[in-house]
Amino acid sequence: MAKDQQEALFQQRVDDEQKIEPRDWMPDEYRKTLIRQISQHAHSEVVGMLPEGNWITRAPSLRRKTVLLAKVQDEAGHGLYLYSAAETLGVSREQLIDQLLSGKAKYSSIFNYPTLTWADIGAIGWLVDGAAIMNQVMLTRTSYGPYARAMVRICKEESFHQRQGYEILMTLCKGTPEQKAMAQDALDRWWWPSLMMFGPSDKDSPHSAQSMKWKIKRQSNDELRQVFIDRTVHQAEYLGLKVPDPKLKWNEQTQHYDWGEIDWTEFNEVIRGNGPCNRDRMAARRKAHADGAWVREAALAYAGKQAKKKAA
Amino acid sequence: MTREEALFRAVLRMGDNNLVLGHRLSEWCGHGPVLEEDIAQTNIALDLIGQTRNLLTYAGELEGKGRSEDDLAYLRGEREYLNVQLVELPKADYAFTIARSFLYDAFHLPLQQALTESRDEHLKAIAGKAVKEVTYHLRHSSEWLIRFGDGTEESHRRAQEAVDELWRYTGELFVPDEAEELLAKDGTLPKLTDLKAEWSATVDRVLNEATLKRPADGWMAGGGKKGVHTEHLGPMLAEMQILQRTFPGVEW
Amino acid sequence: MSNENPNNWPLWEVFIQSKRGLDHKHVGSLHAADAKMAVENARDVYTRRNEGNSIWVVLADNIHASKPEDQGAFFDPADDKVYRHPTFYPMPEGVKYI
């Protein structure tokens, strides 16, 4: 079949809401975009374990410690599901990890911000997971089958993440003035970076149009960001916390909140590696990978010996 | 020492052992050698901390002073922690972590098995669930120790060094304190010396399969059961307890 | 996909039976050095929320699949074989249990 015919067939399938499966013909660009996006997503889950992991040993009660451990563990699981989905496109996990560790691949900038107080663990669950879920729910309907299926599983598991974060903040906001100040400080620091998680504004988003056509993405960055703001402002009010945006105001006409301007310079700097924790995050991942090398080798060597014994 | 005091002490010890080891394992979360193993090790940490919560809650009830699981975990100093020193040692490399878990799991499983027949209904109930969890822990640590021992030259060396280093901390597991001695008499706890035979057999079997040498019994460390610890427990607790200590009496 | 690099743990596909009596269903994949480890990793990765009753793992390389380009020849011929379905055979009103 000629390439343009294949391409037309492919687009027809996407338009008909049929999923694309690993062995189907797909445009090279579609494959590349997916590998880039899914692996970025996987890296984000794995690097995302670090800021929260920072508080596992200091969680203030055994219940909180258990919940946080289970949550960070889920993130490892989600990273794994996503690497698996990417592997169906003909790239190995090792290659993807090499790209991360060599600095070639990106991950979500949000994880380059530090977790300075316990309230940050609440803010991450509430805001960061809240923003991530918006994106992930959309992706359960993405056109690539394995990616969509991984997302269904992830969304099911994520549902407790946002709640546990909000619960942490509720407890702090009902607590002492010091605790409430801790919660406000966390919101102040995490609000804008959370909005940045939806990516550049649609007019500056280089890959968006094609991704929408291929139904990899189904809603634009700005659409999702607006829904997130509309939902979250109300939740902040319930906590008695102030969203750090002087321009934030309900607009009767549009039935949405109007809001200020994201500092895109900061966004770009963090992507470029100049966020507060980029170096620490990469150093931690490189160390874990390097320290684990002999472990992975040992398991393989042992498996080889056992297989030989069995064959003999 | 009355039976009640003894039981409080013994239950607290079991809770402390699990909490301190669970904490050490949780330090791997996000830093494991491979994603799959990160998840597996976290499952084990979660089991141990889950058991801790049941045990410390029960200890608080036995004491009758209204202390909760968190009061006991977060507001006792290192001299009041009664865990064996084995579990408090820093996590070091993965061979050390696995070898330590193995030496503890090989003790923990027969302990929990015996507790399923304890005359204390509460411990019996906790053990019913714990036995299944710990069976898996022992399986996990044994298999990894065998992989290391019979893997590469490097993994063999690391595993042997870890076992050699840890050996001196295994004696304390089987030396009963006054509380444990008392409770062994009425069938609340097993006799620790009875657990030793099974532990020893497991250790021999696994070390043998791992092509590792069993170290000779030499001088054995001790003191943890009396609240005399290595220098490693204090900093661990300082980190763990920081919020509860900095903001006393606050809900989290 | 293929495990081209022998220095990496191979990829395994995981099938979980969630309840006795149901099919084993494909849930995803993972890496493990050997089959025993693959089963245990599958337990830890894919049954954390009580989803499991039984686990199968198979080396991804050992799965052979039909090709998308054979789809027509493979599956379309079954399209018009309505006689394989019970509704093809009308039964009179009064006849029961058939």
Side-chain angles (χ1 to χ4, degrees), chain C residues 42-88:
Chain C
R43 176 260 192 194
D44 285 314
V45 171
Y46 287 105
T47 69
R48 298 199 303 288
R49 284 173 171 78
N50 223 350
E51 300 98 328
N53 176 67
S54 158
I55 295 171
W56 290 349
V57 295
V58 55
L59 266 178
D61 278 355
N62 286 344
I63 292 191
H64 301 272
S66 62
K67 298 192 186 95
E69 54 268 34
D70 288 339
Q71 215 168 15
F74 268 46
F75 308 115
D76 289 355
D79 252 10
D80 59 352
K81 311 293 195 287
V82 283
Y83 46 81
R84 289 199 175 105
H85 300 277
T87 46
F88 184 67

Coordinates of all heavy atoms in Angstrom, one line a residue, chain C residues 42-88:
Chain C
A42 N 5.2 -9.2 39.3 CA 3.8 -8.9 38.9 C 2.9 -8.8 40.1 O 2.0 -8.0 40.1 CB 3.4 -10.1 38.0
R43 N 3.2 -9.6 41.1 CA 2.4 -9.6 42.3 C 2.5 -8.2 42.9 O 1.5 -7.5 43.3 CB 2.9 -10.7 43.3 CG 2.2 -10.7 44.6 CD 3.1 -10.0 45.6 NE 2.6 -10.3 47.0 CZ 3.0 -9.6 48.1 NH1 3.9 -8.7 48.0 NH2 2.6 -9.9 49.3
D44 N 3.8 -7.7 43.0 CA 4.0 -6.4 43.6 C 3.5 -5.2 42.8 O 3.0 -4.2 43.3 CB 5.5 -6.2 44.0 CG 5.9 -7.1 45.2 OD1 5.1 -7.1 46.2 OD2 6.9 -7.8 45.1
V45 N 3.6 -5.4 41.5 CA 3.3 -4.2 40.6 C 1.8 -4.2 40.3 O 1.1 -3.1 40.4 CB 4.1 -4.2 39.3 CG1 3.6 -3.2 38.4 CG2 5.6 -4.0 39.6
Y46 N 1.2 -5.4 40.0 CA -0.1 -5.4 39.4 C -1.2 -5.9 40.3 O -2.4 -5.9 39.9 CB -0.1 -6.2 38.1 CG 0.6 -5.4 37.0 CD1 1.8 -5.8 36.5 CD2 0.0 -4.4 36.3 CE1 2.5 -5.2 35.5 CE2 0.6 -3.7 35.3 CZ 1.8 -4.1 34.9 OH 2.5 -3.4 33.9
T47 N -0.9 -6.2 41.6 CA -2.0 -6.7 42.4 C -2.0 -6.0 43.8 O -2.4 -6.5 44.8 CB -2.0 -8.2 42.7 OG1 -0.8 -8.5 43.5 CG2 -1.9 -9.0 41.4
R48 N -1.6 -4.7 43.8 CA -1.5 -4.0 45.0 C -2.8 -3.6 45.6 O -3.0 -3.3 46.8 CB -0.7 -2.7 44.8 CG 0.7 -2.8 44.4 CD 1.6 -1.6 44.7 NE 1.0 -0.4 44.1 CZ 1.1 -0.1 42.8 NH1 1.6 -1.0 41.9 NH2 0.6 1.0 42.3
R49 N -3.9 -3.7 44.8 CA -5.2 -3.3 45.3 C -6.1 -4.5 45.2 O -7.3 -4.4 44.9 CB -5.8 -2.2 44.5 CG -5.1 -0.8 44.9 CD -5.5 0.3 44.0 NE -5.1 1.6 44.5 CZ -3.9 2.1 44.3 NH1 -2.9 1.3 43.8 NH2 -3.6 3.3 44.8
N50 N -5.5 -5.7 45.6 CA -6.4 -6.8 45.7 C -7.0 -7.3 44.4 O -8.1 -7.9 44.4 CB -7.6 -6.4 46.6 CG -7.8 -7.5 47.6 OD1 -7.3 -8.6 47.5 ND2 -8.7 -7.2 48.6
E51 N -6.3 -7.1 43.3 CA -6.8 -7.4 42.0 C -6.6 -8.9 41.6 O -7.0 -9.3 40.6 CB -6.2 -6.5 40.9 CG -6.4 -5.1 41.0 CD -5.2 -4.3 41.6 OE1 -4.5 -5.0 42.5 OE2 -5.0 -3.2 41.3
G52 N -5.8 -9.6 42.4 CA -5.3 -10.8 41.9 C -5.8 -12.1 42.6 O -6.0 -12.1 43.8
N53 N -5.9 -13.1 41.8 CA -6.1 -14.5 42.3 C -5.1 -15.4 41.7 O -4.6 -16.3 42.4 CB -7.5 -15.0 41.9 CG -7.8 -16.4 42.4 OD1 -7.8 -16.6 43.6 ND2 -7.9 -17.3 41.4
S54 N -4.6 -15.1 40.5 CA -3.6 -16.0 39.9 C -2.9 -15.1 38.8 O -3.4 -14.2 38.3 CB -4.3 -17.2 39.2 OG -3.5 -17.7 38.2
I55 N -1.6 -15.5 38.7 CA -0.7 -14.7 37.7 C -0.1 -15.6 36.7 O 0.4 -16.6 37.0 CB 0.4 -14.0 38.5 CG1 -0.2 -12.9 39.5 CG2 1.4 -13.3 37.6 CD1 0.9 -12.4 40.5
W56 N -0.1 -15.1 35.4 CA 0.7 -15.7 34.4 C 1.7 -14.7 33.9 O 1.3 -13.5 33.7 CB -0.1 -16.1 33.2 CG -1.1 -17.3 33.4 CD1 -1.2 -18.1 34.4 CD2 -2.1 -17.6 32.5 NE1 -2.2 -19.0 34.2 CE2 -2.8 -18.8 33.0 CE3 -2.5 -17.2 31.2 CZ2 -3.9 -19.4 32.4 CZ3 -3.6 -17.8 30.6 CH2 -4.2 -18.9 31.1
V57 N 2.9 -15.1 33.6 CA 3.8 -14.2 32.9 C 4.4 -15.0 31.8 O 4.5 -16.2 31.8 CB 5.0 -13.8 33.8 CG1 4.5 -12.9 35.0 CG2 5.8 -15.0 34.3
V58 N 4.7 -14.3 30.7 CA 5.3 -14.9 29.5 C 6.3 -13.9 28.9 O 6.0 -12.7 28.9 CB 4.2 -15.4 28.5 CG1 3.3 -14.2 28.1 CG2 4.9 -16.0 27.3
L59 N 7.4 -14.4 28.6 CA 8.4 -13.6 27.9 C 7.8 -12.9 26.7 O 7.2 -13.6 25.9 CB 9.6 -14.5 27.5 CG 10.8 -14.6 28.4 CD1 11.8 -15.6 27.7 CD2 11.4 -13.3 28.7
A60 N 8.0 -11.6 26.6 CA 7.3 -10.9 25.5 C 7.8 -11.5 24.2 O 7.0 -11.5 23.2 CB 7.7 -9.4 25.6
D61 N 9.0 -11.9 24.1 CA 9.6 -12.5 22.9 C 8.8 -13.7 22.4 O 8.9 -14.2 21.3 CB 11.1 -12.8 23.0 CG 11.9 -11.5 22.8 OD1 11.3 -10.5 22.4 OD2 13.1 -11.6 23.0
N62 N 8.2 -14.4 23.4 CA 7.5 -15.7 23.1 C 6.1 -15.5 22.6 O 5.4 -16.5 22.4 CB 7.6 -16.6 24.3 CG 9.0 -17.2 24.5 OD1 9.8 -17.1 23.6 ND2 9.2 -17.7 25.7
I63 N 5.7 -14.2 22.5 CA 4.3 -14.0 22.0 C 4.4 -13.8 20.5 O 5.1 -13.0 20.0 CB 3.7 -12.8 22.7 CG1 3.5 -13.2 24.2 CG2 2.4 -12.4 22.0 CD1 2.6 -12.2 24.9
H64 N 3.6 -14.6 19.8 CA 3.5 -14.4 18.4 C 2.1 -13.9 18.0 O 1.1 -14.5 18.5 CB 3.8 -15.7 17.7 CG 5.1 -16.3 18.0 ND1 6.3 -16.0 17.4 CD2 5.5 -17.1 19.1 CE1 7.3 -16.5 18.0 NE2 6.9 -17.2 19.0
A65 N 2.1 -12.9 17.2 CA 0.8 -12.2 17.0 C 0.4 -12.3 15.5 O 1.3 -12.4 14.6 CB 0.8 -10.8 17.5
S66 N -0.9 -12.2 15.2 CA -1.3 -12.0 13.8 C -0.9 -10.7 13.4 O -0.7 -9.8 14.2 CB -2.8 -12.2 13.7 OG -3.5 -11.2 14.5
K67 N -0.8 -10.5 12.1 CA -0.4 -9.2 11.5 C -1.6 -8.3 11.2 O -2.5 -8.9 10.6 CB 0.5 -9.4 10.3 CG 1.7 -10.2 10.5 CD 2.6 -10.1 9.3 CE 3.8 -11.0 9.4 NZ 3.6 -12.4 8.8
P68 N -1.5 -7.0 11.4 CA -2.6 -6.2 11.1 C -2.9 -6.3 9.6 O -4.1 -6.2 9.2 CB -2.1 -4.8 11.4 CG -0.9 -5.0 12.3 CD -0.4 -6.3 12.1
E69 N -2.0 -6.5 8.7 CA -2.3 -6.6 7.3 C -3.1 -7.8 6.9 O -3.6 -7.9 5.9 CB -1.1 -6.4 6.4 CG 0.1 -7.3 6.7 CD 1.1 -6.8 7.7 OE1 0.7 -6.1 8.6 OE2 2.3 -7.1 7.5
D70 N -3.1 -8.8 7.8 CA -3.8 -10.0 7.6 C -5.3 -9.9 8.1 O -6.0 -10.8 7.9 CB -3.2 -11.2 8.3 CG -1.9 -11.6 7.6 OD1 -1.7 -11.3 6.4 OD2 -1.1 -12.3 8.3
Q71 N -5.5 -8.8 8.6 CA -6.8 -8.6 9.3 C -8.0 -9.0 8.4 O -8.9 -9.8 8.8 CB -7.0 -7.1 9.7 CG -7.7 -7.0 11.0 CD -7.6 -5.5 11.5 OE1 -7.2 -4.6 10.7 NE2 -8.0 -5.3 12.7
G72 N -8.0 -8.5 7.1 CA -9.1 -8.8 6.2 C -9.2 -10.3 6.0 O -10.3 -10.9 6.3
A73 N -8.1 -10.9 5.6 CA -8.1 -12.4 5.3 C -8.5 -13.2 6.5 O -9.1 -14.3 6.4 CB -6.8 -12.8 4.7
F74 N -8.0 -12.8 7.6 CA -8.2 -13.6 8.8 C -9.7 -13.5 9.4 O -10.3 -14.5 9.7 CB -7.3 -13.1 10.0 CG -6.0 -13.8 10.0 CD1 -5.3 -14.0 8.9 CD2 -5.5 -14.2 11.3 CE1 -4.0 -14.7 8.9 CE2 -4.3 -14.9 11.3 CZ -3.5 -15.1 10.2
F75 N -10.2 -12.2 9.5 CA -11.3 -12.0 10.3 C -12.6 -11.7 9.5 O -13.7 -12.0 10.0 CB -11.1 -11.0 11.3 CG -9.8 -11.3 12.1 CD1 -8.7 -10.4 12.1 CD2 -9.8 -12.4 12.9 CE1 -7.6 -10.7 12.8 CE2 -8.6 -12.7 13.6 CZ -7.5 -11.9 13.6
D76 N -12.5 -11.2 8.3 CA -13.7 -10.8 7.6 C -14.5 -12.0 7.1 O -15.7 -12.0 7.1 CB -13.3 -9.9 6.4 CG -12.9 -8.5 6.8 OD1 -13.0 -8.3 8.0 OD2 -12.5 -7.7 6.0
P77 N -13.9 -13.1 6.8 CA -14.7 -14.3 6.3 C -15.7 -14.8 7.3 O -16.6 -15.4 7.0 CB -13.6 -15.4 6.0 CG -12.4 -14.6 5.7 CD -12.4 -13.4 6.6
A78 N -15.5 -14.4 8.6 CA -16.4 -14.9 9.6 C -17.7 -14.0 9.6 O -18.7 -14.3 10.3 CB -15.8 -14.9 11.0
D79 N -17.6 -12.9 8.9 CA -18.6 -11.9 8.9 C -20.0 -12.4 8.5 O -21.0 -12.0 9.1 CB -18.3 -10.8 7.8 CG -17.8 -9.5 8.4 OD1 -17.6 -9.6 9.6 OD2 -17.7 -8.6 7.7
D80 N -20.0 -13.2 7.5 CA -21.3 -13.6 6.9 C -21.8 -15.0 7.2 O -22.6 -15.6 6.6 CB -21.3 -13.4 5.4 CG -20.2 -14.3 4.7 OD1 -19.4 -14.9 5.5 OD2 -20.2 -14.3 3.5
K81 N -21.1 -15.6 8.2 CA -21.5 -17.0 8.6 C -22.5 -17.0 9.7 O -22.3 -17.4 10.8 CB -20.2 -17.8 9.0 CG -19.0 -17.6 8.1 CD -19.3 -18.3 6.8 CE -18.0 -18.5 6.0 NZ -17.4 -17.3 5.4
V82 N -23.7 -16.4 9.3 CA -24.7 -16.2 10.3 C -25.2 -17.5 10.9 O -25.7 -17.5 12.0 CB -25.9 -15.3 9.7 CG1 -25.5 -13.9 9.7 CG2 -26.3 -15.9 8.4
Y83 N -25.0 -18.5 10.1 CA -25.6 -19.8 10.5 C -24.9 -20.4 11.7 O -25.2 -21.4 12.3 CB -25.5 -20.9 9.4 CG -24.2 -20.9 8.6 CD1 -23.1 -21.6 9.2 CD2 -24.1 -20.2 7.4 CE1 -21.9 -21.6 8.5 CE2 -22.9 -20.2 6.7 CZ -21.8 -20.9 7.3 OH -20.6 -20.9 6.6
R84 N -23.8 -19.7 12.2 CA -23.1 -20.1 13.4 C -23.8 -19.6 14.6 O -23.3 -19.8 15.7 CB -21.6 -19.7 13.4 CG -20.8 -20.5 12.4 CD -19.3 -20.3 12.7 NE -18.5 -21.2 11.8 CZ -17.7 -20.7 10.9 NH1 -17.7 -19.4 10.6 NH2 -17.0 -21.5 10.1
H85 N -24.7 -18.7 14.5 CA -25.4 -18.1 15.6 C -26.8 -18.6 15.8 O -27.5 -18.8 14.8 CB -25.4 -16.5 15.4 CG -24.0 -16.0 15.3 ND1 -23.2 -15.7 16.4 CD2 -23.2 -15.8 14.2 CE1 -22.0 -15.3 15.9 NE2 -22.0 -15.3 14.6
P86 N -27.2 -18.8 17.0 CA -28.5 -19.4 17.3 C -29.7 -18.7 16.7 O -30.7 -19.3 16.3 CB -28.6 -19.5 18.8 CG -27.5 -18.5 19.3 CD -26.5 -18.5 18.2
T87 N -29.5 -17.3 16.6 CA -30.7 -16.6 16.1 C -31.0 -16.9 14.6 O -32.0 -16.4 14.1 CB -30.4 -15.1 16.2 OG1 -29.1 -14.8 15.7 CG2 -30.5 -14.6 17.6
F88 N -30.1 -17.6 13.9 CA -30.3 -17.9 12.5 C -31.5 -18.9 12.4 O -32.1 -19.1 11.3 CB -29.0 -18.5 12.0 CG -29.0 -18.9 10.5 CD1 -29.1 -17.9 9.6 CD2 -29.0 -20.2 10.1 CE1 -29.1 -18.2 8.2 CE2 -29.0 -20.5 8.8 CZ -29.1 -19.5 7.8

